[in-house]
Amino acid sequence: MKGKRRRPGSTLASALALVASLAAAVPATAEDLPFRDPSLSVDRRVDDLLGRLTLEEKISLLHQHQPAVPRLGIGAFRTGTEALHGVAWLGEATVFPQAIGLASAWDPELMERVGSAVGDEARGFQQTRPDGWGLNLWAPVVNLLRDPRWGRNEEGYSEDPYLTGALSTAYGTGLTGGDPDHLKTAPTLKHYLANNNEYHRTTTSSELRPRVAKEYDEAAFGPAIEADAATGVMSSYNLVNGRPNTVNPDLDDVVRSWTDRELLNVTDAFAPGNLPGDQGYFPTLAEGDAAALKAGIDSFTDNGADPGPTVTAVTSALDRGLLAESDVDTAVSHILNVRVRLGEFDPGGGRYGSIDASVIDSPAHRKLARTAAAEGAVLLKNSGTLPLRKSAKDVAVVGPLADTVSTDWYSGTLPYAVTPADGIAAKLGTEVTAAEGVDRVALRNTATGGYVTAGTGASGAALRESAAPSGPPAQAQFDVFDWGSGVVTLRSAANGRYVGYNWSAFVNDQTEPNGWFVQQQFTLEEQPDGTCLLRYAGYETAESWWSNPVYLGPTGSDGTLGLVAKEQAAHYTKDVVRSGVAEAVAAVKGRDAAVVVVGSHPAVNGREAHDRTDMSLAPAQEALVRAVRQANPRTVVIVENSYPTTLGTLQKEIPALLWTSHAGQETGNALADLLFGDANPSGRLTQTWYRSETDLPSILDYDIIKSDRTYQYFRGRPLYPFGHGLSYTSFRYGALKKVPGGYEVRVTNTGSRAGDEVVQLYTHQRASRDKQPLKQLKAFQRVSLEPGRTKTVRLRLTPADLAHWDVTRSKWVTETATYDVLAGASATDIRSRATWRVEGETIPPRDLSAATRAENFDDYAGTRLVDESTARGTAVEASADGAWLQFADGRPAGGRLTARVAATAPGTLEVRLGSPTGPLAATARTDGTGSPYVYETVTANLAGALRAAGGTDVYLVLSKGLRLSTFSLR
């Protein structure tokens, strides 16, 4: 559906009509103005209000913190309340499972219910309006989970665009209330586009060839916009094809084409300042802000709550002719459109204006949180150990996550927390034995004999070395939590608080690791002499501006620990006061069952601004699991984290394995329901679980087609496949039958328990001009069945759903071909199949006589995709001599190469046949254009052999640094 980009008052007729209407009925008060009249259309109300604002007032509305306009009775407005899995940062509110956990339920109806609850709670704060509150919600995150090492994996839904689109549409529908003219809240999709690495996230470029952009990344964003389940997108920090997304013309050209409604597009925080800053894309903020507005940004998130720099920059851009007032009007009209639809100018705040705080953490929302936590857990393996018998009351719950509930960066404040141990105890109606299974140690300086000590009381004290000739006192004991990659956290036994750095000292004063830099991280570096160095590993130490040393040693006369150079670092012995493994083994021996809860900490194992380096369990956790398993064969392992984990040989050794995300306030109750069979596991993996990081290319490689990424193209053997998840019952599939509009299959519960099956429909195109996915999800349905019952599941599938992007003509095409249609319980567990002969199109040979964009290649090597200009367009640049582009089945119609190239130095463009080293047909040369953005046309005559050839693979071979925009052979 092609959208409109309305420019209010852009025609003389509309302007005269507006003036006439205002003159006909001058309101007595601000309350009587037309923009406050709910009986008028949204566009009419927006035009009225826009016409009353001065230019200065309109400019002020372009910042995240929009000021009030008292003369019109308009209040302040703020974009950007976080609502990823509950309302965040405003105070206590229902904390639902992380987004990856919600998605693992594969249940759009549940997602909509959760979204509706979150929307209600956002409205619930409207009476008090705490700092940070607003009705423009920055959720959901629809970035595809292409690489599980992404530090923000927990924020997304899936590696699959179809599943992501369905779930984000459902969540967004819940947030909006389902009526786009009367919005409960205004959700914003994060983060457009191809944002799946935190490593140098503001300066790395995600290279998207057209097929990847259309079939993969854009496909995740389109559905929610098309369904009016979102009111805009947030541009991401990264670049795409060399151009920062803050000025990506797709914001207008693509995103707004998905709907006829007005969208409010925002920047990510501080991203406008990156344009003249670390990206160096524009010389000044004025030029950057002007380019962003022209590209489709409406609201600038920059400089915190201070709109001054944005106002100054936009005003300067207007004065310099970089912007016209109509550009400002366009952006402001998008903002006002959403504010009108939110009911802000309606009497009483509109349809949702009466919602109050009573909805926040309501009994209904608590129940929903428990349901969501149970549905999103995935039973990875079960050799008959689960469900546990409720008569097995003598249960031990051990592990570093056994008696805690962790929150992540975008979590709300927990109103309460049910830990796994709490939930199991409540389920059994008795106390359970709990043990964290972590070592308690004392650190003794080998040179002085002093112990590292901490303070008592909630505020703790600065760490120092103290003499303790009779052995380590409680103040000198620390629980060491191993999170993998060498990183540990230290919790003081003196007060149960974690040690962290406060920019001047190391103090035990935190209830859990937290903060932007997570300054509670350390490494105990083993030395050849058996001692260890205590290294500070807060995230800020990885920043380019960090120049301090990172090792700890006494720096004060009282022994206070500070940062010192490695050669001055103290050497400590790590004296084990209590063995975590021994404690856990003692706890589980002889018990009816042992439940081990291991996994990650959301603040430590990768998060915003920090990717993971590996996906394995921490070594100490792996050792704990093995020891518990050996001590008690009735061991169940719960992996609680937010990303696929490489479990090594543990996957074979453990009889029962259950995965859950960090699932919020009801974590323990939901896990107990699952462990004891009151809930039947029904979650499914939304990502491939790989066996090793070696299965993955660089996290910066976004070409899933060429690098065989995600389940669609991965040719290896996964640890657990996309869509995997077991149940306590079993299901049989009947024959897959073609019906009008799709396929149907009968599914029978052949077990003894009621359960839910997620029926997944995949397709595979047997023959194509282009490389096709091995499998591709096209439909799914969650179905509930009592034992022995059968249901017919109908799954929509049309020829249009089989289309892929044809780079030869830049259009969607469904090819004439035979397609495999596959129904099953995962991408590899196919239970029923059919073939479908579809009469579509045959992609004709390339017409290389027409101007062909270089980016529309079929294959490549040694090249990168770059910005043709700062405003729009993609070109191809050679990273080395001999870089090449393949254009398969080309049909040149003439005898001349014509190409648009740019280069800062002399270079060549060759045409070769059949391969990059095949017969040379032509060579065009440039002396250089002096700038990568200045293009010239170069030509060369083609060899007669090429002119006479029929269809052949044409290769363009580029010298290093040459940029190619378009070419033709005619």
PDB file of all heavy atoms in Angstrom, residues 236-262:
ATOM      1  N   SER A 236      18.151   3.391  13.699  1.00  0.00           N
ATOM      2  CA  SER A 236      19.189   2.777  14.534  1.00  0.00           C
ATOM      3  C   SER A 236      20.506   3.536  14.394  1.00  0.00           C
ATOM      4  O   SER A 236      20.690   4.366  13.508  1.00  0.00           O
ATOM      5  CB  SER A 236      19.364   1.313  14.152  1.00  0.00           C
ATOM      6  OG  SER A 236      19.632   1.173  12.772  1.00  0.00           O
ATOM      7  N   TYR A 237      21.434   3.209  15.293  1.00  0.00           N
ATOM      8  CA  TYR A 237      22.719   3.895  15.321  1.00  0.00           C
ATOM      9  C   TYR A 237      23.584   3.579  14.116  1.00  0.00           C
ATOM     10  O   TYR A 237      24.363   4.414  13.660  1.00  0.00           O
ATOM     11  CB  TYR A 237      23.493   3.479  16.577  1.00  0.00           C
ATOM     12  CG  TYR A 237      22.964   4.026  17.869  1.00  0.00           C
ATOM     13  CD1 TYR A 237      22.580   3.173  18.901  1.00  0.00           C
ATOM     14  CD2 TYR A 237      22.878   5.402  18.094  1.00  0.00           C
ATOM     15  CE1 TYR A 237      22.115   3.664  20.105  1.00  0.00           C
ATOM     16  CE2 TYR A 237      22.407   5.907  19.293  1.00  0.00           C
ATOM     17  CZ  TYR A 237      22.028   5.037  20.293  1.00  0.00           C
ATOM     18  OH  TYR A 237      21.567   5.526  21.487  1.00  0.00           O
ATOM     19  N   ASN A 238      23.501   2.343  13.632  1.00  0.00           N
ATOM     20  CA  ASN A 238      24.463   1.870  12.648  1.00  0.00           C
ATOM     21  C   ASN A 238      24.244   2.505  11.279  1.00  0.00           C
ATOM     22  O   ASN A 238      23.263   3.202  11.022  1.00  0.00           O
ATOM     23  CB  ASN A 238      24.359   0.349  12.516  1.00  0.00           C
ATOM     24  CG  ASN A 238      22.963  -0.083  12.095  1.00  0.00           C
ATOM     25  OD1 ASN A 238      22.022   0.054  12.860  1.00  0.00           O
ATOM     26  ND2 ASN A 238      22.832  -0.604  10.888  1.00  0.00           N
ATOM     27  N   LEU A 239      25.160   2.231  10.394  1.00  0.00           N
ATOM     28  CA  LEU A 239      25.027   2.616   8.999  1.00  0.00           C
ATOM     29  C   LEU A 239      24.512   1.418   8.216  1.00  0.00           C
ATOM     30  O   LEU A 239      24.730   0.262   8.610  1.00  0.00           O
ATOM     31  CB  LEU A 239      26.367   3.069   8.423  1.00  0.00           C
ATOM     32  CG  LEU A 239      27.031   4.320   9.012  1.00  0.00           C
ATOM     33  CD1 LEU A 239      27.737   4.035  10.333  1.00  0.00           C
ATOM     34  CD2 LEU A 239      28.055   4.888   8.019  1.00  0.00           C
ATOM     35  N   VAL A 240      23.832   1.657   7.128  1.00  0.00           N
ATOM     36  CA  VAL A 240      23.480   0.623   6.162  1.00  0.00           C
ATOM     37  C   VAL A 240      24.057   1.039   4.821  1.00  0.00           C
ATOM     38  O   VAL A 240      23.796   2.145   4.331  1.00  0.00           O
ATOM     39  CB  VAL A 240      21.954   0.419   6.060  1.00  0.00           C
ATOM     40  CG1 VAL A 240      21.608  -0.387   4.803  1.00  0.00           C
ATOM     41  CG2 VAL A 240      21.431  -0.296   7.290  1.00  0.00           C
ATOM     42  N   ASN A 241      24.882   0.180   4.284  1.00  0.00           N
ATOM     43  CA  ASN A 241      25.534   0.456   3.007  1.00  0.00           C
ATOM     44  C   ASN A 241      26.217   1.823   3.017  1.00  0.00           C
ATOM     45  O   ASN A 241      26.123   2.600   2.068  1.00  0.00           O
ATOM     46  CB  ASN A 241      24.533   0.348   1.853  1.00  0.00           C
ATOM     47  CG  ASN A 241      23.965  -1.047   1.716  1.00  0.00           C
ATOM     48  OD1 ASN A 241      24.492  -2.002   2.273  1.00  0.00           O
ATOM     49  ND2 ASN A 241      22.874  -1.185   0.981  1.00  0.00           N
ATOM     50  N   GLY A 242      26.892   2.093   4.143  1.00  0.00           N
ATOM     51  CA  GLY A 242      27.712   3.291   4.253  1.00  0.00           C
ATOM     52  C   GLY A 242      27.003   4.545   4.673  1.00  0.00           C
ATOM     53  O   GLY A 242      27.647   5.581   4.870  1.00  0.00           O
ATOM     54  N   ARG A 243      25.690   4.503   4.840  1.00  0.00           N
ATOM     55  CA  ARG A 243      24.924   5.703   5.185  1.00  0.00           C
ATOM     56  C   ARG A 243      24.293   5.529   6.561  1.00  0.00           C
ATOM     57  O   ARG A 243      23.615   4.523   6.803  1.00  0.00           O
ATOM     58  CB  ARG A 243      23.833   5.975   4.145  1.00  0.00           C
ATOM     59  CG  ARG A 243      23.014   7.246   4.404  1.00  0.00           C
ATOM     60  CD  ARG A 243      21.948   7.456   3.343  1.00  0.00           C
ATOM     61  NE  ARG A 243      22.549   7.651   2.035  1.00  0.00           N
ATOM     62  CZ  ARG A 243      22.551   6.742   1.068  1.00  0.00           C
ATOM     63  NH1 ARG A 243      21.958   5.553   1.275  1.00  0.00           N
ATOM     64  NH2 ARG A 243      23.119   6.995  -0.079  1.00  0.00           N
ATOM     65  N   PRO A 244      24.462   6.482   7.478  1.00  0.00           N
ATOM     66  CA  PRO A 244      23.835   6.352   8.796  1.00  0.00           C
ATOM     67  C   PRO A 244      22.319   6.224   8.684  1.00  0.00           C
ATOM     68  O   PRO A 244      21.678   6.921   7.880  1.00  0.00           O
ATOM     69  CB  PRO A 244      24.223   7.656   9.505  1.00  0.00           C
ATOM     70  CG  PRO A 244      25.464   8.117   8.808  1.00  0.00           C
ATOM     71  CD  PRO A 244      25.291   7.698   7.373  1.00  0.00           C
ATOM     72  N   ASN A 245      21.745   5.347   9.479  1.00  0.00           N
ATOM     73  CA  ASN A 245      20.297   5.165   9.424  1.00  0.00           C
ATOM     74  C   ASN A 245      19.532   6.395   9.880  1.00  0.00           C
ATOM     75  O   ASN A 245      18.338   6.530   9.575  1.00  0.00           O
ATOM     76  CB  ASN A 245      19.896   3.949  10.266  1.00  0.00           C
ATOM     77  CG  ASN A 245      19.973   2.659   9.487  1.00  0.00           C
ATOM     78  OD1 ASN A 245      19.638   2.606   8.306  1.00  0.00           O
ATOM     79  ND2 ASN A 245      20.425   1.603  10.131  1.00  0.00           N
ATOM     80  N   THR A 246      20.176   7.287  10.591  1.00  0.00           N
ATOM     81  CA  THR A 246      19.515   8.537  10.977  1.00  0.00           C
ATOM     82  C   THR A 246      19.129   9.349   9.759  1.00  0.00           C
ATOM     83  O   THR A 246      18.194  10.155   9.821  1.00  0.00           O
ATOM     84  CB  THR A 246      20.453   9.348  11.896  1.00  0.00           C
ATOM     85  OG1 THR A 246      20.905   8.513  12.969  1.00  0.00           O
ATOM     86  CG2 THR A 246      19.741  10.558  12.486  1.00  0.00           C
ATOM     87  N   VAL A 247      19.809   9.155   8.638  1.00  0.00           N
ATOM     88  CA  VAL A 247      19.473   9.874   7.401  1.00  0.00           C
ATOM     89  C   VAL A 247      19.143   8.878   6.289  1.00  0.00           C
ATOM     90  O   VAL A 247      19.323   9.171   5.104  1.00  0.00           O
ATOM     91  CB  VAL A 247      20.608  10.823   6.966  1.00  0.00           C
ATOM     92  CG1 VAL A 247      20.733  11.975   7.947  1.00  0.00           C
ATOM     93  CG2 VAL A 247      21.953  10.080   6.849  1.00  0.00           C
ATOM     94  N   ASN A 248      18.633   7.723   6.656  1.00  0.00           N
ATOM     95  CA  ASN A 248      18.283   6.704   5.671  1.00  0.00           C
ATOM     96  C   ASN A 248      17.006   7.116   4.939  1.00  0.00           C
ATOM     97  O   ASN A 248      15.946   7.251   5.551  1.00  0.00           O
ATOM     98  CB  ASN A 248      18.064   5.365   6.393  1.00  0.00           C
ATOM     99  CG  ASN A 248      17.901   4.200   5.431  1.00  0.00           C
ATOM    100  OD1 ASN A 248      17.566   4.373   4.258  1.00  0.00           O
ATOM    101  ND2 ASN A 248      18.120   2.996   5.935  1.00  0.00           N
ATOM    102  N   PRO A 249      17.058   7.307   3.621  1.00  0.00           N
ATOM    103  CA  PRO A 249      15.854   7.729   2.890  1.00  0.00           C
ATOM    104  C   PRO A 249      14.738   6.693   2.915  1.00  0.00           C
ATOM    105  O   PRO A 249      13.592   7.009   2.584  1.00  0.00           O
ATOM    106  CB  PRO A 249      16.360   7.974   1.465  1.00  0.00           C
ATOM    107  CG  PRO A 249      17.601   7.138   1.357  1.00  0.00           C
ATOM    108  CD  PRO A 249      18.217   7.159   2.721  1.00  0.00           C
ATOM    109  N   ASP A 250      15.050   5.472   3.320  1.00  0.00           N
ATOM    110  CA  ASP A 250      14.009   4.453   3.475  1.00  0.00           C
ATOM    111  C   ASP A 250      12.928   4.890   4.458  1.00  0.00           C
ATOM    112  O   ASP A 250      11.791   4.415   4.386  1.00  0.00           O
ATOM    113  CB  ASP A 250      14.607   3.146   4.008  1.00  0.00           C
ATOM    114  CG  ASP A 250      15.313   2.337   2.934  1.00  0.00           C
ATOM    115  OD1 ASP A 250      15.379   2.816   1.786  1.00  0.00           O
ATOM    116  OD2 ASP A 250      15.800   1.244   3.255  1.00  0.00           O
ATOM    117  N   LEU A 251      13.274   5.753   5.397  1.00  0.00           N
ATOM    118  CA  LEU A 251      12.292   6.198   6.387  1.00  0.00           C
ATOM    119  C   LEU A 251      11.073   6.796   5.707  1.00  0.00           C
ATOM    120  O   LEU A 251       9.941   6.651   6.187  1.00  0.00           O
ATOM    121  CB  LEU A 251      12.935   7.219   7.337  1.00  0.00           C
ATOM    122  CG  LEU A 251      14.065   6.666   8.216  1.00  0.00           C
ATOM    123  CD1 LEU A 251      14.841   7.811   8.842  1.00  0.00           C
ATOM    124  CD2 LEU A 251      13.508   5.733   9.277  1.00  0.00           C
ATOM    125  N   ASP A 252      11.302   7.466   4.597  1.00  0.00           N
ATOM    126  CA  ASP A 252      10.183   7.975   3.791  1.00  0.00           C
ATOM    127  C   ASP A 252       9.830   7.028   2.657  1.00  0.00           C
ATOM    128  O   ASP A 252       8.691   6.617   2.489  1.00  0.00           O
ATOM    129  CB  ASP A 252      10.543   9.345   3.193  1.00  0.00           C
ATOM    130  CG  ASP A 252       9.974  10.492   3.997  1.00  0.00           C
ATOM    131  OD1 ASP A 252       9.189  10.260   4.929  1.00  0.00           O
ATOM    132  OD2 ASP A 252      10.332  11.648   3.688  1.00  0.00           O
ATOM    133  N   ASP A 253      10.849   6.641   1.894  1.00  0.00           N
ATOM    134  CA  ASP A 253      10.597   5.933   0.640  1.00  0.00           C
ATOM    135  C   ASP A 253      10.047   4.526   0.837  1.00  0.00           C
ATOM    136  O   ASP A 253       9.258   4.036   0.032  1.00  0.00           O
ATOM    137  CB  ASP A 253      11.891   5.842  -0.176  1.00  0.00           C
ATOM    138  CG  ASP A 253      12.463   7.205  -0.525  1.00  0.00           C
ATOM    139  OD1 ASP A 253      11.740   8.203  -0.374  1.00  0.00           O
ATOM    140  OD2 ASP A 253      13.635   7.273  -0.925  1.00  0.00           O
ATOM    141  N   VAL A 254      10.452   3.855   1.903  1.00  0.00           N
ATOM    142  CA  VAL A 254      10.023   2.478   2.146  1.00  0.00           C
ATOM    143  C   VAL A 254       9.019   2.400   3.288  1.00  0.00           C
ATOM    144  O   VAL A 254       7.899   1.917   3.119  1.00  0.00           O
ATOM    145  CB  VAL A 254      11.242   1.571   2.438  1.00  0.00           C
ATOM    146  CG1 VAL A 254      10.785   0.161   2.797  1.00  0.00           C
ATOM    147  CG2 VAL A 254      12.175   1.526   1.237  1.00  0.00           C
ATOM    148  N   VAL A 255       9.412   2.861   4.456  1.00  0.00           N
ATOM    149  CA  VAL A 255       8.562   2.688   5.644  1.00  0.00           C
ATOM    150  C   VAL A 255       7.199   3.339   5.452  1.00  0.00           C
ATOM    151  O   VAL A 255       6.165   2.741   5.777  1.00  0.00           O
ATOM    152  CB  VAL A 255       9.270   3.251   6.890  1.00  0.00           C
ATOM    153  CG1 VAL A 255       8.354   3.161   8.107  1.00  0.00           C
ATOM    154  CG2 VAL A 255      10.571   2.490   7.151  1.00  0.00           C
ATOM    155  N   ARG A 256       7.170   4.531   4.920  1.00  0.00           N
ATOM    156  CA  ARG A 256       5.881   5.217   4.746  1.00  0.00           C
ATOM    157  C   ARG A 256       5.073   4.648   3.579  1.00  0.00           C
ATOM    158  O   ARG A 256       3.878   4.922   3.463  1.00  0.00           O
ATOM    159  CB  ARG A 256       6.087   6.721   4.593  1.00  0.00           C
ATOM    160  CG  ARG A 256       6.434   7.391   5.921  1.00  0.00           C
ATOM    161  CD  ARG A 256       6.288   8.912   5.898  1.00  0.00           C
ATOM    162  NE  ARG A 256       6.225   9.423   7.245  1.00  0.00           N
ATOM    163  CZ  ARG A 256       7.267   9.943   7.932  1.00  0.00           C
ATOM    164  NH1 ARG A 256       8.438  10.026   7.339  1.00  0.00           N
ATOM    165  NH2 ARG A 256       7.107  10.358   9.156  1.00  0.00           N
ATOM    166  N   SER A 257       5.709   3.820   2.760  1.00  0.00           N
ATOM    167  CA  SER A 257       4.948   3.187   1.674  1.00  0.00           C
ATOM    168  C   SER A 257       4.103   2.032   2.187  1.00  0.00           C
ATOM    169  O   SER A 257       3.241   1.533   1.473  1.00  0.00           O
ATOM    170  CB  SER A 257       5.908   2.671   0.588  1.00  0.00           C
ATOM    171  OG  SER A 257       6.591   1.501   1.015  1.00  0.00           O
ATOM    172  N   TRP A 258       4.327   1.620   3.435  1.00  0.00           N
ATOM    173  CA  TRP A 258       3.610   0.468   3.974  1.00  0.00           C
ATOM    174  C   TRP A 258       2.248   0.842   4.541  1.00  0.00           C
ATOM    175  O   TRP A 258       1.483  -0.037   4.943  1.00  0.00           O
ATOM    176  CB  TRP A 258       4.443  -0.196   5.081  1.00  0.00           C
ATOM    177  CG  TRP A 258       5.689  -0.860   4.592  1.00  0.00           C
ATOM    178  CD1 TRP A 258       5.898  -1.445   3.381  1.00  0.00           C
ATOM    179  CD2 TRP A 258       6.917  -1.014   5.322  1.00  0.00           C
ATOM    180  NE1 TRP A 258       7.164  -1.953   3.302  1.00  0.00           N
ATOM    181  CE2 TRP A 258       7.814  -1.711   4.477  1.00  0.00           C
ATOM    182  CE3 TRP A 258       7.337  -0.651   6.595  1.00  0.00           C
ATOM    183  CZ2 TRP A 258       9.112  -2.029   4.871  1.00  0.00           C
ATOM    184  CZ3 TRP A 258       8.626  -0.973   6.996  1.00  0.00           C
ATOM    185  CH2 TRP A 258       9.505  -1.643   6.143  1.00  0.00           C
ATOM    186  N   THR A 259       1.907   2.115   4.597  1.00  0.00           N
ATOM    187  CA  THR A 259       0.638   2.522   5.197  1.00  0.00           C
ATOM    188  C   THR A 259       0.191   3.855   4.628  1.00  0.00           C
ATOM    189  O   THR A 259       1.006   4.644   4.130  1.00  0.00           O
ATOM    190  CB  THR A 259       0.784   2.642   6.733  1.00  0.00           C
ATOM    191  OG1 THR A 259      -0.455   3.052   7.302  1.00  0.00           O
ATOM    192  CG2 THR A 259       1.857   3.649   7.123  1.00  0.00           C
ATOM    193  N   ASP A 260      -1.110   4.100   4.713  1.00  0.00           N
ATOM    194  CA  ASP A 260      -1.651   5.405   4.352  1.00  0.00           C
ATOM    195  C   ASP A 260      -1.756   6.321   5.562  1.00  0.00           C
ATOM    196  O   ASP A 260      -2.141   7.485   5.424  1.00  0.00           O
ATOM    197  CB  ASP A 260      -3.037   5.251   3.717  1.00  0.00           C
ATOM    198  CG  ASP A 260      -2.947   4.846   2.252  1.00  0.00           C
ATOM    199  OD1 ASP A 260      -1.899   5.111   1.637  1.00  0.00           O
ATOM    200  OD2 ASP A 260      -3.922   4.271   1.737  1.00  0.00           O
ATOM    201  N   ARG A 261      -1.456   5.821   6.732  1.00  0.00           N
ATOM    202  CA  ARG A 261      -1.534   6.645   7.941  1.00  0.00           C
ATOM    203  C   ARG A 261      -0.218   7.386   8.159  1.00  0.00           C
ATOM    204  O   ARG A 261       0.839   6.968   7.691  1.00  0.00           O
ATOM    205  CB  ARG A 261      -1.860   5.786   9.156  1.00  0.00           C
ATOM    206  CG  ARG A 261      -3.243   5.172   9.067  1.00  0.00           C
ATOM    207  CD  ARG A 261      -3.667   4.564  10.383  1.00  0.00           C
ATOM    208  NE  ARG A 261      -5.009   4.030  10.273  1.00  0.00           N
ATOM    209  CZ  ARG A 261      -6.120   4.740  10.437  1.00  0.00           C
ATOM    210  NH1 ARG A 261      -6.037   6.017  10.766  1.00  0.00           N
ATOM    211  NH2 ARG A 261      -7.302   4.192  10.304  1.00  0.00           N
ATOM    212  N   GLU A 262      -0.305   8.471   8.891  1.00  0.00           N
ATOM    213  CA  GLU A 262       0.884   9.233   9.220  1.00  0.00           C
ATOM    214  C   GLU A 262       1.699   8.483  10.271  1.00  0.00           C
ATOM    215  O   GLU A 262       1.141   7.892  11.202  1.00  0.00           O
ATOM    216  CB  GLU A 262       0.504  10.624   9.755  1.00  0.00           C
ATOM    217  CG  GLU A 262      -0.345  11.445   8.814  1.00  0.00           C
ATOM    218  CD  GLU A 262       0.392  11.877   7.557  1.00  0.00           C
ATOM    219  OE1 GLU A 262       1.604  11.597   7.447  1.00  0.00           O
ATOM    220  OE2 GLU A 262      -0.225  12.487   6.682  1.00  0.00           O
TER     221      GLU A 262
END
